[in-house]
Amino acid sequence: MWIYEDIPFIAVSYLGENWTYDVTLTVATRDMKDVASAFVNGESNVVTLCLIDAQTNAIRAIRTLGLPEDAMKTVRDAGRAQLDRYEDESEVLAVVNSVYERMSTADIIARGTVYEFRRK
């Protein structure tokens, strides 16, 4: 996980696999301020990730992860800072797009903090 300008970039790779993906957490949305506030001030460590086809906007997969406690604290801290820093989602997406224009998933992984997830 890498935090850039109060935006969490979460890159996922699987041991023994060459497949990786990354997601961002955008809580500064105009229409969902109450939900975002509940998330960043909540106690759950559960994050739901949606894989969305960029061309069609069709949902391709949904995964629910339980983040380690220290990772979730980092995500919440960044989320609170994001709500204070940005007026709306368009500002966050401009930063996200600028990162994706110059960085690959491997670059994001190299800059971030590694957290290990285990199936129970």
Side-chain angles (χ1 to χ4, degrees), residues 11-28:
V12 179
S13 64
Y14 297 94
L15 295 176
E17 300 288 332
N18 290 326
W19 190 66
T20 61
Y21 61 92
D22 59 86
V23 298
T24 59
L25 180 65
T26 305
V27 297

Side-chain angles (χ1 to χ4, degrees), residues 25-96:
L25 180 65
T26 305
V27 297
T29 59
R30 202 172 318 142
D31 300 333
M32 298 183 63
K33 289 282 189 189
D34 292 339
V35 173
S37 181
F39 174 77
V40 299
N41 294 308
E43 295 182 16
S44 175
N45 69 327
V46 174
V47 175
T48 302
L49 306 177
C50 299
L51 177 60
I52 300 172
D53 185 305
Q55 301 301 314
T56 65
N57 287 329
I59 296 175
R60 297 292 182 198
I62 298 174
R63 298 290 181 265
T64 301
L65 301 176
L67 294 179
E69 196 173 307
D70 51 342
M72 196 65 206
K73 180 184 181 322
T74 300
V75 167
R76 281 201 177 93
D77 290 348
R80 281 190 288 276
Q82 190 182 122
L83 287 171
D84 290 340
R85 181 177 189 157
Y86 299 101
E87 287 296 316
D88 61 42
E89 187 177 18
S90 66
E91 293 177 4
V92 177
L93 294 178
V95 175
V96 169

Side-chain angles (χ1 to χ4, degrees), residues 105-120:
T105 300
D107 294 331
I108 292 169
I109 290 171
R111 290 175 185 243
T113 301
V114 175
Y115 297 95
E116 188 173 324
F117 300 87
R118 294 181 184 269
R119 288 186 188 247
K120 295 203 177 205

